[in-house]
Amino acid sequence: MSTQALTKKDFQSDQIVRWCPGCGDYAILSAIQSTMPKLGIDKENIVFISGIGCSSRFPYYMDTYGFHTIHGRAPTIATGLKTVNPDLSVWLITGDGDGLSIGGNHLLHVLRRNMDINILLFNNQIYGLTKGQYSPTSEMGKKTKSSPMGSLESPINPIRFALAAEASFVARTYDTNTRHMAETFEKAAAHKGTSFVEIYQNCVIFNKDTFDDFYDRKVRDDHMIHLEEGEPLIFGKEEQKGVYLDGMTPVIKKLSEAGDAQPLAHKAEQISRNYAGMLAEMEHPAMPVPVGVFRKVNRPTYENMLHDQVAEATAKKGEGRLEDLFTQGDTWSVD
Amino acid sequence: MNHIVSPVTAKIQKDAVTLLDEHIVEIVSDSGEGAQTAGQIFGQASAMMGNGVWTVEIIPAEIEPPSRSVPGASGNRIRVGARALHNAGDKADVVIGFNEQVLYSRIDQGAFKKGTHIFLENKWENDPREDVRNTYNEALTDLRERGYKVTGVPMEACCLEYVRDARRGKNIWVLGLLCRLYNRDKDLMRKMITRRFQAKGEKVLNSNLQLFESGFSWARSNLTQTWRIPPRRDDRPHVVMNGNQALAMGCMAAGMEICSMYPITPATSVSHYLAANFKKVGGFVHQAEDEIAAIGFAIGASYAGKTAVTITSGPGLALKTEFIGLAVMAEVPLVIVDVQRGGPSTGLPTKVEQSDLLAVLHGSPGDAPKIVLAPSTIEECFHFMITARRLAEEFRGPVFVLSDANLATGVQPFPRPRLSEDQLSPPIDQSDWDPDVAPYNWDSESGLSRRPIPGQRGGAYVLTGLGHDRHSKVVYESGTNQKTIAMRSKKLAALQRTLKPPTIFGDDTGDLLVVGWGSTRGAVEEAVTRLRKQGRKISSVNLQFLSPLQPGLTEMFRRFKKVMTIEINYSDKKDDPAFAGARRPAQLAMLLRARTLIDIDFWSRVPGSPLQPGILVDVLKHRMDEMRGATC
């Protein structure tokens, strides 16, 4: 099987895709399937691991190795798998409920350890598979079957969660822009360390069009900023606006009215998380919603450091012989 | 009741040395005074001199409990004998107490008897605090009234000649005393002290050796009676270790390279021993963020082709339950060690219980058949790990090893295991997978199948916790779950066909058969031996496999008039009218009653300590007398 010959079709499994018609997951699946051949990795070295939820059906539709595990725990399996076999390209598929509610602890720790895996968090701000309860990313006051008078919980911002967990690669993309998704996934795959990608994903049944106010093709230019390394933070279809700093606070100004002031230029590669954190706090409708790579820094991966330790122990003490453990110390014969 | 001096073997020698068949020594102090170190060295030295030894730790639940408090008792019980020993025995013969309060914890546990020699630190009689002087003096009177032989010992006064803080020296001083009292090999003990302290520098080492000599001299000048316990005859090379160390060594001998854990008492020390030695042989310990992640990592590692072990205790087992079900469902090989402690909930973290049997067998939702082994000795802790790995891979699923706090901290010598390549599982075939072979190509007789590993060409497939067919495809058709669960169940049946019936201890017919599992074996067999010497027709059997059960049990049980289990878990007492007609059985009894349809009786308790053979003798005698009453 030659890697060169692989096409998008090679990554489509024989399973009938069972998401609801119009679900954003279809576009994400398609974007992933078209990204895979570009990575130059043999199919048998790719593994998709998921938890539970609509998004977690994902591995069935990929013609690669996969493991549809249990609710929230996929990061733990991915960690064990990648540690034992660092040659594998490991993709973790999760959702806002799976990753940030039941599996919040594991997501925190996989990011902290900086496993070299790619995490795609499908954020539709609702529980879909269990039929429409509010999720940890749902807006406060959301009326659902389990919160008829409105939910009382403040939502989690996945990007800020990832930054707080010391994630070395944090990005956001959205299901109505296949090209942006594919580019983001490629960048995620290229990053050595945990790549965390939040994907705004539309649930047509239980949270229809929740992102339309800012990501619909007709309005997105006025409400989103596409982050590009080194490029100024500017947006706006008719009238161009920029993001400026007023003390520690980002403010929006028309370029025409900014005078000599320069809009902020995007820099994902910085150790401090303050800038990325500031971007993460920019939320609709007060601010344009940033998409793209928020932060990208290099730090050693857990699996590499671990294998280095094993190698160091062997180098220092020589290839250990199990027998020695049984013949040294408290061992004797009675004469 | 065993005697301080066995009337059969004891004879007064010219040099006032009394020969003993066995003795039980306890060293009890406040936590942090080093009684455990002293006990370990004494036990190991005795083992190396050829004695049978069983030691058990006396552990408070807190790290630094208040000094001079009853619950703060910390130390070691060392049973030393002229033959192999498999349990901690009955009542102590000799006790070294660093203060009088900690002794009451042991008295509550029923650890002493009339005539027990107590060597008690006497500095408290001159303590500047009046209340301390009073409690000490009151206790002295009380202990003597209880029939213990108390000797005041100037530990602190002697130690202060060599160290400024006697709390840091008493333990080794006491070791000197014991060395003289039991005529231990002085050079050997000095060597062991050297090994323990040489890393701490010459000054520390020298003062410890001086403390040892001081304790020895004090005993020589002040104790007229000394004892000697002759070695048993066994010229095989031996090793001495506790059950957790044996589990860790078994793990390495089995060729496992990954241990994934979250710290939990009393299981943690397995991973400590592994962490210290594993990397030398290419393995590693992963400390996960919680118990769930620990088993998740192990499943991930096994999925990647390297069968992993995860080690836990009751509360951790509860958290792992969902993942255990996944390992059964997706057929991922895995070894799970449960070092059982007292429950439910946080329960008794440092104390022994055998309360997880039914949780392990039936804890998962749905039908989740798994293999469950229970070692009964330290030596078996080692060997069962090798068996567990083989079975996990052969039968493609989780295998449990049920140890407990008694085995975990019990130290025993056993013949040095032979290491060989056969102990390792055959390497996993990583050659290209034939795409025509399904990932669950279940053999219709045995339910066995081979698994592809990620990275293996041609085998790309998706594992799932959902109901699936032999192609690992999710199925919704009715009847499939019935068929596929049957496949997983067949694996247990296939394993059972390869097992032999367990070996009976005693005659294979008689009045009473005692059935036990795990660490109670030593105490049960000792009780049965004593009763057989009294002419009772009693035998016992220890079940090493709890799932599947070994074959032939029903036939075996039918050859006895009565069968009962002895266990360290809760069951309703027989004579309490509150339970009349609704008595809840002990766990193994419940299992065996269901599987054999025999009216199996039971006696079980949760005292937080290992069972004493003497107590079992009384229990079994009573049950046998009841039988006689019933048949007459």
Side-chain angles (χ1 to χ4, degrees), chain A residues 15-314:
Chain A
Q15 295 294 288
I16 301 159
V17 183
R18 288 170 192 264
W19 288 311
C20 308
C23 176
D25 289 357
Y26 284 93
I28 303 172
L29 175 64
S30 171
I32 280 285
Q33 285 167 339
S34 33
T35 303
M36 285 296 129
K38 297 181 200 159
L39 303 181
I41 301 168
D42 291 336
K43 263 170 59 162
E44 60 271 14
N45 287 329
I46 298 169
V47 190
F48 278 79
I49 299 190
S50 65
I52 295 294
C54 291
S55 61
S56 287
R57 293 294 178 116
F58 202 93
Y60 296 124
Y61 310 134
M62 295 296 297
D63 193 25
T64 62
Y65 277 97
F67 200 165
H68 182 204
T69 70
I70 55 176
H71 210 1
R73 318 296 174 205
T76 70
I77 292 196
T79 302
L81 174 71
K82 180 72 182 180
T83 304
V84 168
N85 189 352
D87 296 337
L88 297 173
S89 170
V90 178
W91 295 75
L92 195 150
I93 308 297
T94 185
D96 41 317
D98 187 65
L100 291 167
S101 196
I102 191 166
N105 190 33
H106 308 306
L107 187 60
L108 162 69
H109 290 278
V110 74
L111 293 169
R112 178 174 76 87
R113 288 195 183 100
N114 199 32
M115 302 298 306
D116 184 21
I117 64 172
N118 309 299
I119 301 175
L120 309 185
L121 187 142
F122 296 18
N123 184 7
N124 58 12
Q125 302 184 347
I126 199 79
Y127 283 157
L129 196 63
T130 50
K131 301 194 175 177
Q133 301 77 21
Y134 66 98
S135 91
T137 55
S138 296
E139 68 278 13
M140 200 169 186
K142 189 161 192 76
K143 288 185 179 169
T144 69
K145 282 175 205 158
S146 59
S147 59
M149 294 174 72
S151 76
L152 304 173
E153 296 166 23
S154 184
I156 295 171
N157 177 323
I159 300 288
R160 292 179 63 199
F161 176 92
L163 290 170
E166 301 294 345
S168 61
F169 179 100
V170 181
R172 177 190 283 151
T173 185
Y174 55 111
D175 64 3
T176 52
N177 190 338
T178 311
R179 207 179 69 188
H180 190 265
M181 280 195 287
E183 281 169 13
T184 309
F185 298 154
E186 258 191 272
K187 286 176 191 166
H191 175 70
K192 186 87 183 145
T194 309
S195 305
F196 177 84
V197 182
E198 178 192 18
I199 308 166
Y200 285 142
Q201 175 246 321
N202 186 29
C203 172
V204 286
I205 306 293
F206 297 109
N207 207 16
K208 193 168 170 8
D209 304 337
T210 191
F211 305 110
D212 269 9
D213 287 351
F214 62 87
Y215 87 172
D216 186 78
R217 191 175 295 274
K218 284 175 239 154
V219 299
R220 80 166 68 131
D221 288 347
D222 285 324
H223 295 287
M224 292 176 97
I225 290 183
H226 285 74
L227 305 170
E228 295 292 345
E229 191 68 11
E231 297 295 318
L233 301 183
I234 51 178
F235 64 105
K237 196 170 187 180
E238 301 294 327
E239 171 122 52
Q240 288 225 307
K241 297 173 196 165
V243 180
Y244 296 80
L245 267 192
D246 177 9
M248 301 284 280
T249 313
V251 292
I252 305 300
K253 285 181 192 166
K254 292 177 181 167
L255 295 190
S256 55
E257 294 171 1
D260 292 339
Q262 290 298 311
L264 282 168
H266 182 57
K267 191 164 188 280
E269 295 180 23
Q270 46 184 321
I271 297 299
S272 165
R273 289 165 299 150
N274 291 346
Y275 167 71
M278 181 203 80
L279 291 179
E281 281 188 34
M282 290 168 52
E283 288 175 349
H284 184 77
M287 300 291 277
V289 176
V291 290
V293 180
F294 284 62
R295 182 176 193 241
K296 182 187 182 321
V297 291
N298 287 323
R299 61 187 185 90
T301 66
Y302 178 83
E303 66 272 23
N304 279 358
M305 289 190 287
L306 184 64
H307 289 287
D308 285 351
Q309 275 193 353
V310 174
E312 188 190 327
T314 319

Side-chain angles (χ1 to χ4, degrees), chain B residues 366-435:
Chain B
D367 184 75
K370 48 199 104 80
I371 297 168
V372 182
L373 315 176
S376 64
T377 62
I378 308 294
E379 187 176 7
E380 283 181 357
C381 285
F382 173 82
H383 289 289
F384 278 30
M385 290 302 284
I386 297 166
T387 310
R389 186 201 170 175
R390 290 191 80 95
L391 293 176
E393 288 181 4
E394 186 94 24
F395 290 86
R396 200 178 168 180
V399 175
F400 276 89
V401 177
L402 279 181
S403 178
D404 64 35
N406 185 23
L407 290 171
T409 59
V411 175
Q412 192 186 27
F414 61 88
R416 186 162 69 210
R418 189 186 55 87
L419 294 179
S420 82
E421 291 284 315
D422 338 329
Q423 286 163 351
L424 309 175
S425 297
I428 291 166
D429 182 0
Q430 287 268 45
S431 60
D432 286 5
W433 185 266
D434 177 355

Side-chain angles (χ1 to χ4, degrees), chain B residues 23-67:
Chain B
H23 243 198
I24 295 170
V25 180
E26 287 197 357
I27 310 174
V28 197
S29 70
D30 284 342
S31 187
E33 287 186 307
Q36 289 186 359
T37 304
Q40 284 159 9
I41 296 178
F42 182 68
Q44 281 183 352
S46 299
M48 294 178 82
M49 288 175 67
N51 287 125
V53 170
W54 182 281
T55 79
V56 60
E57 287 174 18
I58 299 158
I59 315 170
E62 290 82 24
I63 303 298
E64 286 289 345
S67 61

Side-chain angles (χ1 to χ4, degrees), chain B residues 1 6 79 82 87 92 204 210 233 239 263 286 302 373 420 466 486 600 607 611 624:
Chain B
M1 207 57 36
S6 158
R79 188 182 184 196
N87 68 83
V204 175
Q210 284 168 334
R233 287 185 199 91
V239 287
H286 171 80
S302 293
L373 315 176
S420 82
L466 282 168
I600 291 163
L611 296 180
M624 292 187 92

Side-chain angles (χ1 to χ4, degrees), chain B residues 418-475:
Chain B
R418 189 186 55 87
L419 294 179
S420 82
E421 291 284 315
D422 338 329
Q423 286 163 351
L424 309 175
S425 297
I428 291 166
D429 182 0
Q430 287 268 45
S431 60
D432 286 5
W433 185 266
D434 177 355
D436 292 333
V437 175
Y440 296 104
N441 195 22
W442 293 304
D443 177 81
S444 59
E445 289 293 309
S446 65
L448 299 182
S449 59
R450 231 187 93 209
R451 64 188 186 119
I453 306 291
Q456 200 168 8
R457 216 165 257 203
Y461 70 104
V462 179
L463 285 186
T464 177
L466 282 168
H468 52 268
D469 62 15
R470 59 175 53 237
H471 300 285
S472 199
K473 302 290 186 205
V474 179
V475 286

